[in-house]
């Protein structure tokens, strides 16, 4: 199995602590994610390490007997130590106040710091769970719910162990995960994980069932909204994504592992010790060891080796493990660090060796643009709300977060399409088909296509002399009108004469490019046409006479010059009551030319009243 | 003839009109029989064939002489036509030394003289040179589309093969020339494009690209809806003549079975396919018949350049027709046809109804149904786009116009004027009764409008045309 095949790994900068042994007790606090190494009951030192703080806290305390539990309050302000089952000691003198009490028979409890929810196991069987939700110093009781046990228990005793329950936030929602070792339906063997959705309001509801198809010892993690199920017997893990399409039976959705089971990527323990002395090679770490303890959401602790790792998902290997590109995109778009992987998938499916079919490419583009459009819409309504006068500080108004799943046109252009179109071995038919497919997809989601994509299409068509194709695209306005595009077309005129007409049409439709139209016509010596155009749109009082006379003179067509000259004389007459040009118009040269060709008497006389 | 007779009417009840008719049509190469006594060898094709040999030789010789003679005055542009009292001859040299000649009899008015004898009057000025020269050029283009160049036939099998091909092709083709109903549209040889919104157009693009990918042997594709072009993978000139063939010959021969009556024999032939409406217009009629022949017409494109021979597969579902062109060296099998049918049929059926739906929505939105009906012909030389509200739907036999032939002739005259100069122009003609004819040329575009307004003056006519341009052509650069 190559390294490319492992899709789960332990983080490369674990928290290292003194491993557990008879004189060193190790504790883990899930709320602060801190590991406490307590030597000799604290007398020879307590070292506290968290995942983020690289500076461990060290202190000593009196050895008052075996420590059962030790934790800091949030922000490490207060330390609490439990040495007997009924007392908790705060090393500094503090007073505690009972805020609220509930009287319930409890088998065991579980607290989820992320969700601020505590779960109490009640009833004899232990399968009725009572959640409480803490918020701003208050505690609210949520509706209790019953966990369906695999079979009707034979004896009336505690049947639900806290080992089989976990709580985690998946896609922003709190779930209670229940590891059911045997399916309730007799026809399917193997364990399953049942996900109960625990909303802040309303009743808890069974939503998803993850089919494990195997039995034995399992442990759960949640990483990047994926449920990871480790199986100790086979030393492999599988992942589930509840957002991927599953089989819905009307009440719950059944999911199968996204990918084939794989081991976590082998891990080398760097040899610790005084660095300069040791140059020993790293030692392979025993994975899925029975001394591993797993905490939510993504923590794996090996007390015997003295390591705390965060579990991570590697996306790149998944690309090759999930052949269905549509499903792969659905999967990747939900991952945090997905952008570069998605772009690499796009590049790959367009490559000569791994080329996907056009329907598949279309599906991928549609999925990307669906996500892109969602973001654009959110951004749009945010801007609209701001403009409507909603204050930026309003809690209801939040600028939409741009996740990595938003792959915009510039991303696609830079990382995928521009590279792809430059490949020499690509058939131009395929290149154009892909570009058109992307443009089709953008249009389908009503996303304005950026002009550089149109330019890419034009460039490709021009390179292969496919001018008639280009003409047809423009005819149906597939390549949207813009000044840059019109200019690009103008530049193509010498290779393809109709480009001139296409460009003028485009400038006309833009309706903001009248000056450009005049320039284009003048440059083609179509002076009369330019004048008629500007008159048609009512702009002839503001144009420079000199510019038109210059152009008319260049044609060496004296009658044309006469016509243009006369037009401006008449304009002068109309605007100023005098046909003569003012010095500011700099037309002396043209007046002289006119006189030379047609004689002084041909000049228009001022109308006298 | 009936159509023309109807147009004549009014004047004298005794008058009888005969429309222009094809007198003869021949193809020769002066190099093939340069010596005396061998003149017959020059003649590659002669219609009507019954004509006596010496007359054939005489006629060919005359044409040769005229061309040679006029060449001395204009070496680069020898004579294109010869006007005589009874007829007009048109000359065309489509390939070096290969001459095509078409002789058309002028229209005739037959009057009864007082003593009861018929007096025949030839109308010498009725025919427009440009119209019939274009028809002659089209004859060559159509021949070339299905047979390749003359030169290629010579290379492949000498004069014998060329003669065979010419005989086979023109024998049938000349019967389909309807010289009495040729007009301005024949000069343009334009293509009518189907108006479509961007999204539906992109869907069609996507469809074509997918089909070309799955049917990998397809080299080019063309897509039409309602006999109007939407997409051509072929180059413009090839598409122009293929379009002509499809819309004037192939499509009219295949009335849609959906439109045919329930008991019509066409309907009965339809294979029992409930999945889609797709069917082959060329190639196998019934895919369930294991003996079905998969013969497709062969066409030749890019003859100046790569010279490609292709099989033309035309497949249609409802109003949408696709032409798939595959390399002629690959012989399509029945299996291929079945596969094509199973892939293209369902998708094309869906696409066709999408286009129809979208087209109706756009029509409703733009309110084009309510617009005043102008009678006009528009043509753009750049993309060959043509639009006519004067012509009724073309039938295989005649193209019917809704205006008097005299007006059509004025249009042709204006067009000839436009051809003479390069500049933009505008011509307004007051025709008989209350008709006005306006011709406009702006850059590469030409527009002809026929207005019928009682007592309208020049200014009002000009305003009307402006109005038309503003509604119909507001998205192009068309000078007022």
């Amino acid at each position: 199995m190559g390294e490319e095949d492992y899709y789960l790994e332990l983080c490369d900068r674990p928290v290292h602590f003194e491993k557990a042994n008879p004189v060193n007790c190790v504790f883990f606090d899930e709320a602060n994610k801190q590991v406490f190494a307590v030597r000799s009951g604290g007398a020879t030192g307590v070292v506290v390490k968290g995942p983020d703080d690289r500076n461990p806290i060290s202190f000593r305390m009196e050895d008052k007997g075996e420590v059962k539990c030790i934790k800091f309050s949030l922000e490490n302000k207060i330390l609490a130590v439990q040495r007997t089952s009924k007392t908790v000691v705060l090393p500094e003198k503090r007073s505690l106040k009972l805020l609220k009490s509930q009287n319930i028979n409890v088998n065991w409890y579980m607290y989820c710091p992320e969700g601020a929810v505590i779960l109490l196991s009640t009833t004899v069987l232990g399968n009725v769970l009572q959640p409480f939700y803490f918020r701003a110093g208050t505690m609210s009781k949520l509706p209790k719910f019953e966990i369906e046990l695999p079979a009707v228990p034979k004896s009336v005793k505690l049947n639900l162990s806290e080992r089989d329950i976990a709580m985690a936030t998946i896609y922003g929602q709190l779930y209670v995960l229940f590891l059911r070792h045997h399916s309730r339906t007799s026809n399917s063997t193997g364990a399953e994980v049942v996900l109960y959705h625990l909303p802040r309001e309303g009743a808890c509801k069974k939503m998803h069932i993850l089919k494990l198809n195997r039995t034995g010892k399992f442990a759960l993690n949640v990483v990047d909204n994926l449920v990871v199920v480790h199986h100790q017997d086979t030393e492999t893990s599988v992942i589930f994504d509840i957002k991927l399409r599953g089989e819905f039976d009307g009440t719950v959705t059944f999911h199968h592992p996204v990918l084939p089971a794989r081991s976590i990527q082998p891990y080398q323990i760097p040899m610790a010790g005084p660095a300069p002395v040791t140059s020993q090679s790293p030692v392979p770490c025993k994975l899925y060891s029975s001394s591993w303890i797993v905490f939510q959401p993504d923590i794996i602790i090996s007390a015997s080796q003295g390591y705390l790792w965060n579990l991570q998902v590697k996306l790149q290997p998944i690309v090759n493990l999930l052949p269905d590109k549509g499903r792969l995109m659905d999967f990747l778009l939900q991952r945090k660090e997905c952008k570069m992987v998605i772009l690499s998938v796009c590049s790959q499916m367009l490559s000569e060796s791994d080329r996907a079919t056009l329907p598949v490419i279309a599906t991928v583009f549609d999925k990307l643009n669906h996500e892109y459009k969602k973001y654009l819409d959110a951004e749009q309504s945010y801007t609209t709300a701001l403009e409507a006068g909603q204050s930026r500080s309003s809690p209801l108004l939040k600028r939409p977060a741009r996740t990595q799943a938003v792959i915009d046109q510039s991303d696609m252009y830079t990382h995928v399409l521009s590279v792809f179109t430059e490949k020499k071995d690509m058939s131009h038919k395929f290149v154009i088909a892909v570009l058109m497919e992307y443009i089709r997809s953008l249009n389908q989601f009503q996303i304005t296509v950026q002009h550089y994509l149109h330019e890419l299409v034009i460039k490709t068509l021009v390179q292969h002399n496919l001018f008639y194709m280009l003409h047809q695209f423009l005819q149906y306005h597939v390549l949207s009108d813009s000044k840059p595009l019109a200019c690009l077309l103008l530049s193509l005129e010498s290779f393809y004469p109709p480009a001139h007409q296409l460009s003028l049409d485009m400038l006309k439709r833009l309706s903001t490019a009248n000056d450009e139209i005049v320039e284009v016509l003048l440059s083609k010596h179509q002076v009369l046409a330019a004048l008629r155009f500007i008159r048609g749109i009512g702009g002839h009082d503001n144009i420079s006479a000199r510019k038109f006379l210059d152009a008319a003179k260049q044609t060496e067509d004296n009658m044309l010059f006469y016509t243009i000259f006369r037009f401006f004389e008449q304009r002068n007459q109309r605007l100023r009551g005098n046909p003569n040009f003012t010095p500011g118009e700099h037309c002396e040269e043209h007046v002289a030319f006119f006189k030379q060709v047609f004689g002084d008497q041909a000049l228009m006389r001022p109308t006298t009243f | 003839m009936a159509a023309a007779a109807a147009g004549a009417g009014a004047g004298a009840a005794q008058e009888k009109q005969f429309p222009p008719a094809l007198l003869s049509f021949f193809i020769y190469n002066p190099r093939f029989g340069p010596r005396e006594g061998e003149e017959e060898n020059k003649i590659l094709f002669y219609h009507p064939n019954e004509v006596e040999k010496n007359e054939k030789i005489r006629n060919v010789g005359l044409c040769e002489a005229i061309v040679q003679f006029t060449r001395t005055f204009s070496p680069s542009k020898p004579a294109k036509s010869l006007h005589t009292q009874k007829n007009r001859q048109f000359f065309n040299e489509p390939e070096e030394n290969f001459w095509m000649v078409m002789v058309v009899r002028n229209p005739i008015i037959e009057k009864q003289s007082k003593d009861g004898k018929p007096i025949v009057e030839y109308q010498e000025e009725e025919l427009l040179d440009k119209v019939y020269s274009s028809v002659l050029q089209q004859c060559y283009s159509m021949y070339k589309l299905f047979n390749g160049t003359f030169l290629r036939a010579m290379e492949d099998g000498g004069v014998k093969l060329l003669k065979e091909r010419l005989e086979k092709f023109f024998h049938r083709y000349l019967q389909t020339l309807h010289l009495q109903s040729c007009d301005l549209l024949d000069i343009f040889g334009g293509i009518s494009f189907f108006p479509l919104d961007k999204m539906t157009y992109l869907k069609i693009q996507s469809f074509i690209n997918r089909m070309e990918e799955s049917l990998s042997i397809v080299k080019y594709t063309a897509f039409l809806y309602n006999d109007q072009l939407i997409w051509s993978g072929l180059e413009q000139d090839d598409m122009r003549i293929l379009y002509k063939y499809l819309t004037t010959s192939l499509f009219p021969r295949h009335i849609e079975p959906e439109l045919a009556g329930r008991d019509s024999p066409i309907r009965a032939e339809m294979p029992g396919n409930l999945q889609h409406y797709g069917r082959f217009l060329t190639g196998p009629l019934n895919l369930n018949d294991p003996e079905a022949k998969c013969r497709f017409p062969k066409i030749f494109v890019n003859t100046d350049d790569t010279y490609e021979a292709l099989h033309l597969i035309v497949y249609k579902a409802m109003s949408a027709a696709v032409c798939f062109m595959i390399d002629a060296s690959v012989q399509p099998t029945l299996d291929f046809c079945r596969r094509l049918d199973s892939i293209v049929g369902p998708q094309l059926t869906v696409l066709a109804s999408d286009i129809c739906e979208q087209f109706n929505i756009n029509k409703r939105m733009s309110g084009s149904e309510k617009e005043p009906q102008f009678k006009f012909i528009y043509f753009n030389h750049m993309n060959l786009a043509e639009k006519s509200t004067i012509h009724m739907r073309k039938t295989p036999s005649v193209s019917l116009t809704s205006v008097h032939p005299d007006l059509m002739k004025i249009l042709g005259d204006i067009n000839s004027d436009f051809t003479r100069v390069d500049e933009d122009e505008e011509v307004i003609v007051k025709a008989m009764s209350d008709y006005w004819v306006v011709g406009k040329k702006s850059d590469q575009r030409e527009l002809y409008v026929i207005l019928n307004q009682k007592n309208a003056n020049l200014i009002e006519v000009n305003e009307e045309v402006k109005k038309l341009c503003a509604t119909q052509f507001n998205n192009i650069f068309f000078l007022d």
Side-chain angles (χ1 to χ4, degrees):
Chain A
M1 204 186 287
E3 183 163 312
E4 283 310 298
D5 224 18
Y6 301 104
Y7 53 80
L8 288 168
E9 66 179 356
L10 302 172
C11 66
D12 52 5
R13 295 182 72 185
V15 177
H16 184 40
F17 53 88
E18 194 177 344
K19 57 190 170 197
N21 57 41
V23 290
N24 183 44
C25 296
V26 178
F27 301 91
F28 179 66
D29 169 24
E30 281 188 84
N32 287 331
K33 314 281 182 234
Q34 286 169 324
V35 186
F36 290 73
V38 183
R39 298 180 116 248
S40 324
T44 50
V46 178
V47 181
V48 187
K49 280 185 175 176
D52 303 321
D53 39 43
R54 289 290 147 195
N55 302 319
I57 305 166
S58 305
F59 57 88
R60 276 159 22 115
M61 59 184 193
E62 266 178 79
D63 184 1
K64 290 182 181 168
E66 187 201 357
V67 174
K68 276 191 153 55
C69 187
I70 180 165
K71 281 172 205 265
F72 270 121
S73 71
L74 293 171
E75 286 156 28
N76 304 335
K77 281 197 181 119
I78 307 162
L79 180 73
V81 184
Q82 185 184 8
R83 291 200 173 84
T84 68
S85 63
K86 280 185 181 154
T87 53
V88 174
V89 181
L90 308 172
E92 268 177 71
K93 281 235 157 99
R94 297 268 180 168
S95 62
L96 289 172
K97 198 167 111 190
L98 181 65
L99 290 173
K100 201 167 182 183
S101 74
Q102 290 275 340
N103 221 343
I104 306 171
N105 282 326
V106 175
N107 304 306
W108 47 262
Y109 79 92
M110 179 173 286
Y111 180 66
C112 171
E114 287 84 17
V117 167
I118 193 165
L119 215 53
L120 308 178
S121 155
T122 65
T123 70
V124 185
L125 290 170
N127 66 334
V128 176
L129 300 182
Q130 173 62 62
F132 287 92
Y133 172 40
F134 300 93
R135 183 177 51 188
T138 64
M139 177 175 84
S140 38
K141 191 175 185 177
L142 301 174
K144 61 183 170 193
F145 61 97
E146 190 180 325
I147 297 276
E148 284 173 10
L149 296 170
V152 183
K154 291 185 192 83
S155 57
V156 183
K157 60 164 193 193
L158 191 61
N159 253 281
L160 183 68
S161 152
E162 60 181 304
R163 278 203 310 272
D164 295 332
I165 292 288
M167 268 193 288
T169 306
I170 305 170
Y171 293 118
Q173 299 296 315
L174 187 64
Y175 287 90
V176 173
L177 292 78
F178 167 48
L179 180 65
R180 188 153 66 190
H181 290 278
H182 301 284
S183 171
R184 274 170 75 85
T185 47
S186 51
N187 55 2
S188 80
T189 56
E192 53 196 28
V193 177
V194 187
L195 266 64
Y196 294 82
H197 178 217
L198 189 58
R200 294 277 183 273
E201 276 159 38
C204 184
K205 190 167 171 280
K206 187 165 83 169
M207 299 277 280
H208 301 278
I209 292 182
L210 316 180
K211 305 292 285 180
L212 301 177
N213 296 324
R214 44 175 70 172
T215 54
K217 275 179 87 176
F218 297 99
L220 302 177
N221 274 132
V222 172
V223 183
D224 202 0
N225 294 315
L226 296 168
V227 179
V228 183
V229 183
H230 307 289
H231 186 229
Q232 201 180 27
D233 308 8
T234 57
E235 298 192 356
T236 58
S237 309
V238 286
I239 55 177
F240 293 87
D241 184 348
I242 58 170
K243 273 220 179 158
L244 283 190
R245 185 194 290 269
E247 301 143 31
F248 185 61
D249 75 350
T251 45
V252 293
T253 311
F254 292 84
H255 297 271
H256 294 279
V258 179
L259 302 163
R262 288 283 185 271
S263 160
I264 296 169
Q265 183 174 321
Y267 185 84
Q268 308 281 325
I269 292 179
M271 285 315 290
V277 191
T278 49
S279 58
Q280 287 159 284
S281 52
V283 180
C285 168
K286 169 90 183 85
L287 300 177
Y288 299 91
S289 144
S290 55
S291 72
W292 276 16
I293 310 163
V294 171
F295 292 95
Q296 294 320 316
D298 59 348
I299 291 164
I300 295 174
I301 294 178
S302 170
S304 64
Q305 287 164 310
Y307 282 99
L308 178 153
W309 293 282
N310 295 92
L311 186 65
Q312 295 170 341
V313 176
K314 285 167 72 184
L315 296 181
Q316 196 60 51
I318 294 173
V319 170
N320 299 320
L321 289 171
L322 204 55
D324 178 344
K325 288 276 187 297
R327 205 169 153 81
L328 174 64
M329 275 301 145
D330 286 340
F331 177 83
L332 290 176
L333 282 169
Q334 300 297 338
R335 308 285 74 85
K336 260 197 214 88
E337 307 275 331
C338 60
K339 184 175 219 148
M340 293 323 287
V341 182
I342 288 176
L343 290 170
S344 81
V345 171
C346 290
S347 289
Q348 191 192 345
M349 75 182 179
L350 301 180
S351 72
E352 194 56 54
S353 52
D354 272 317
R355 187 201 280 194
T357 63
L358 287 172
V360 169
I361 292 167
T363 308
V364 170
F365 286 164
D366 285 348
K367 286 185 188 296
L368 296 184
N369 289 329
H370 176 73
E371 206 64 32
Y372 178 24
K373 174 66 175 169
K374 271 202 313 208
Y375 170 74
L376 290 178
D377 282 349
E379 182 78 7
Q380 178 63 44
S381 45
Y382 171 75
T383 322
T384 317
L386 271 192
E387 279 162 5
Q390 272 204 47
S391 143
R392 208 177 284 269
S393 55
S394 155
L396 292 169
L397 194 60
K398 247 172 76 183
R399 190 182 192 99
R402 181 177 173 144
T403 67
Q404 286 206 9
V406 178
I407 312 274
D408 64 17
Q409 296 173 64
S410 131
D411 294 326
M412 282 301 281
Y413 176 83
T414 314
H415 297 280
V416 182
L417 298 174
S418 66
V419 186
F420 161 67
T421 52
E422 264 158 33
K423 281 188 189 155
K424 296 234 159 41
D425 51 346
M426 274 302 153
S427 91
H428 63 262
K429 224 174 188 174
F430 182 64
V431 172
I432 292 158
V434 167
L435 292 176
M436 292 315 285
E437 204 57 67
Y438 188 57
I439 290 173
R440 186 226 19 101
S441 180
L442 290 169
N443 272 289
Q444 196 155 309
F445 287 97
Q446 292 161 334
I447 300 169
T448 312
V449 181
Q450 296 294 321
H451 71 90
Y452 46 75
L453 286 175
H454 291 145
E455 280 170 25
L456 203 56
V457 174
I458 296 179
K459 214 179 84 190
T460 311
L461 291 168
V462 168
Q463 254 169 21
H464 295 93
N465 277 316
L466 300 167
F467 289 104
Y468 188 43
M469 255 188 212
L470 171 62
H471 201 135
Q472 296 183 64
F473 288 152
L474 288 161
Q475 200 175 317
Y476 282 96
H477 303 201
V478 164
L479 309 173
S480 315
D481 299 340
S482 70
K483 272 191 204 177
L485 211 56
C487 293
L488 180 61
L489 285 172
L490 269 185
S491 72
L492 294 174
E493 195 193 341
S494 54
F495 309 101
Y496 186 63
H500 173 72
Q501 190 191 67
L502 290 167
S503 170
L504 271 184
D505 290 351
M506 193 177 278
L507 291 170
K508 160 92 187 294
R509 286 192 297 267
L510 285 170
S511 77
T512 54
N514 296 330
D515 293 346
E516 283 85 350
I517 291 178
V518 169
E519 291 302 327
V520 169
L521 291 172
L522 288 182
S523 73
K524 303 284 287 183
H525 305 302
Q526 293 178 304
V527 190
L528 210 51
L531 200 55
R532 286 176 67 183
F533 168 74
I534 203 81
R535 196 181 57 183
I537 58 164
H540 53 297
D541 285 354
N542 305 316
I543 46 171
S544 146
R546 185 196 160 94
K547 189 196 272 179
F548 281 77
L549 289 169
D550 274 345
K553 193 152 172 267
Q554 270 176 30
T555 63
E556 292 174 6
D557 176 346
N558 284 347
M559 277 327 290
L560 178 68
F561 184 80
Y562 182 91
T563 311
I564 303 293
F565 192 86
R566 182 64 90 221
F567 173 85
F568 283 106
E569 279 186 319
Q570 284 167 352
R571 182 179 82 165
N572 294 342
Q573 173 73 43
R574 185 165 44 80
L575 295 180
R576 293 194 300 267
N578 189 322
N580 294 336
F581 291 90
T582 63
E585 290 179 278
H586 302 289
C587 292
E588 295 79 10
E589 175 199 339
H590 299 104
V591 174
F593 179 74
F594 185 85
K595 283 186 197 164
Q596 182 203 322
V597 178
F598 302 103
D600 286 13
Q601 73 287 355
L603 285 175
M604 194 172 149
R605 305 242 168 87
T607 322
T608 45
F609 293 99
Chain B
M1 213 176 270
Q14 256 71 29
E15 269 184 28
K16 242 167 128 187
Q17 269 201 3
F18 297 96
L22 182 69
L23 280 183
S24 56
F25 184 100
F26 45 91
I27 299 166
Y28 68 91
N29 186 328
R31 298 285 167 96
F32 290 178
R35 269 177 296 226
E36 243 183 272
E38 289 176 3
E39 288 92 345
E40 199 191 351
N41 294 347
K42 292 178 187 172
I43 305 171
L44 300 167
F45 174 79
Y46 201 104
H47 165 88
N49 197 25
E50 304 78 56
V51 172
E52 198 261 325
K53 188 176 94 181
N54 283 324
E55 197 191 327
K56 285 182 186 171
I57 293 172
R58 255 202 323 276
N59 286 337
V60 167
L62 180 65
C63 291
E64 232 187 300
I66 290 165
V67 171
Q68 277 306 327
F69 174 68
T70 53
R71 225 191 260 278
T72 46
F73 301 104
S74 168
S76 60
K77 285 183 189 166
K80 287 235 154 115
S81 69
L82 174 70
H83 297 208
T84 66
Q85 188 204 7
K86 291 186 181 174
N87 58 42
R88 223 176 257 200
Q89 307 197 7
F90 298 92
F91 314 111
N92 180 27
E93 186 188 19
E95 292 178 40
E96 206 185 351
N97 292 316
F98 285 95
W99 286 87
M100 294 174 82
V101 180
M102 179 170 78
V103 185
V104 181
R105 196 206 56 218
N106 283 324
I108 300 172
I109 295 178
E110 200 184 85
K111 287 177 184 165
Q112 297 285 354
S113 70
K114 279 169 196 149
D115 56 3
K117 273 189 191 163
I119 303 171
V120 172
E121 202 173 279
Y122 286 93
Q123 296 184 289
E124 289 172 58
E125 299 305 319
E126 278 307 297
L127 300 183
L128 286 168
D129 275 350
K130 270 190 86 184
V131 171
Y132 292 92
S133 295
S134 306
V135 170
L136 183 57
Q137 276 164 25
Q138 230 169 53
C139 286
Y140 172 72
S141 303
M142 198 62 88
Y143 167 85
K144 193 181 71 172
L145 178 69
F146 290 103
N147 295 278
T149 60
F150 296 154
L151 193 67
R152 191 54 74 105
M154 293 291 297
E155 286 166 9
D156 290 350
V159 181
K160 190 172 168 284
L161 182 70
L162 176 59
K163 279 184 170 174
E164 276 170 23
R165 286 193 181 160
L166 290 171
E167 180 64 38
K168 199 173 160 210
F169 179 80
F170 283 109
H171 176 70
R172 269 182 57 192
Y173 185 72
L174 291 180
Q175 295 173 21
T176 67
L177 286 183
H178 297 278
L179 296 182
Q180 71 274 23
S181 55
C182 294
D183 60 31
L184 190 59
L185 288 193
D186 291 282
I187 298 177
F188 295 147
I191 293 172
S192 178
F193 285 92
F194 187 76
L196 204 59
D197 65 293
K198 177 162 61 170
M199 194 56 229
T200 316
Y201 183 79
L202 284 166
K203 271 194 206 165
I204 295 170
Q205 275 297 319
S206 179
F207 163 82
I208 292 166
N209 289 332
R210 285 170 194 211
M211 292 309 107
E212 288 190 358
E213 183 180 66
S214 358
L215 309 165
S216 53
I217 56 172
V218 172
K219 223 169 161 184
Y220 306 105
T221 308
F223 194 103
L224 296 94
Y225 190 86
N226 259 350
D227 294 5
Q228 292 175 300
L229 187 67
I230 292 178
W231 169 253
S232 163
L234 284 183
E235 286 303 311
Q236 199 178 51
D237 280 342
D238 291 322
M239 192 61 229
R240 178 187 227 166
I241 195 68
L242 178 62
Y243 179 78
K244 172 92 184 162
Y245 163 70
L246 294 172
T247 53
T248 60
S249 177
L250 185 69
F251 292 160
R253 273 189 275 133
H254 294 80
I255 322 160
E256 291 171 33
E258 307 90 77
L259 298 180
R262 187 172 290 276
D263 304 320
S264 140
I266 306 173
R267 196 176 193 96
E269 275 171 35
M270 274 276 280
N273 198 335
L274 302 171
Q275 309 289 309
H276 61 79
Y277 290 106
R279 67 208 169 96
F280 286 91
L281 295 196
T282 61
L285 283 173
N286 183 354
L287 290 170
N288 297 324
D289 174 9
E291 301 293 307
K293 292 275 183 298
C294 297
R295 270 202 222 111
F296 295 94
K298 214 188 218 185
I299 60 167
F300 296 82
V301 301
N302 292 327
T303 47
D304 295 337
D305 176 14
T306 45
Y307 206 95
E308 294 157 74
L310 306 165
H311 289 298
L312 174 66
I313 302 174
V314 184
Y315 188 89
K316 196 170 181 190
M318 302 195 278
S319 297
V322 206
C323 305
F324 294 112
M325 286 156 266
I326 65 176
D327 204 291
S329 59
V330 185
Q331 186 54 51
T333 60
L334 187 58
D335 264 358
F336 172 79
C337 293
R338 284 185 180 145
R339 201 161 74 84
L340 188 148
D341 182 68
S342 71
I343 297 174
V344 180
Q347 295 197 47
L348 188 60
T349 303
V350 173
L351 200 54
S353 56
D354 273 7
I355 297 169
C356 179
E357 195 180 320
Q358 203 54 48
F359 177 65
N360 288 332
I361 291 172
N362 293 345
K363 211 160 79 180
R364 231 175 295 136
M365 271 179 13
S366 69
S368 57
E369 291 155 306
K370 283 173 232 143
E371 271 170 31
Q373 265 300 308
F374 284 98
K375 285 193 190 307
F376 70 89
I377 295 178
Y378 162 86
F379 181 68
N380 181 357
H381 288 271
M382 290 283 108
N383 59 357
L384 306 181
E386 159 193 294
K387 194 173 177 187
S388 169
T389 58
I390 289 173
H391 293 77
M392 319 286 195
R393 207 182 162 80
K394 282 198 172 179
T395 65
S397 54
V398 277
S399 83
L400 293 171
T401 59
S402 57
V403 300
H404 194 272
D406 288 352
L407 290 171
M408 288 308 291
K409 190 167 173 278
I410 295 175
L411 297 187
D413 287 335
I414 297 175
N415 170 264
S416 302
D417 275 354
F418 286 166
T419 318
R420 274 193 277 277
V421 266
D422 238 4
E423 313 250 306
D424 292 356
E425 255 193 88
E426 189 163 338
V427 177
I428 302 181
V429 178
K430 173 86 174 72
M432 74 284 189
S433 56
D434 285 316
Y435 282 104
W436 287 81
V437 179
V438 182
K440 269 167 78 91
K441 183 184 170 214
S442 169
D443 193 23
Q444 299 291 322
R445 295 181 166 109
E446 292 175 30
L447 175 68
Y448 302 85
V449 189
I450 296 174
L451 293 165
N452 184 14
Q453 277 183 347
K454 264 207 158 39
N455 307 322
N457 61 31
L458 194 60
I459 295 168
E460 286 159 351
V461 168
N462 197 36
E463 283 304 311
E464 276 300 298
V465 174
K466 267 193 180 168
K467 220 190 283 169
L468 168 74
C469 290
T471 53
Q472 296 273 336
F473 305 105
N474 61 340
N475 60 350
I476 56 172
F477 186 79
F478 202 67
L479 273 180
D480 285 329

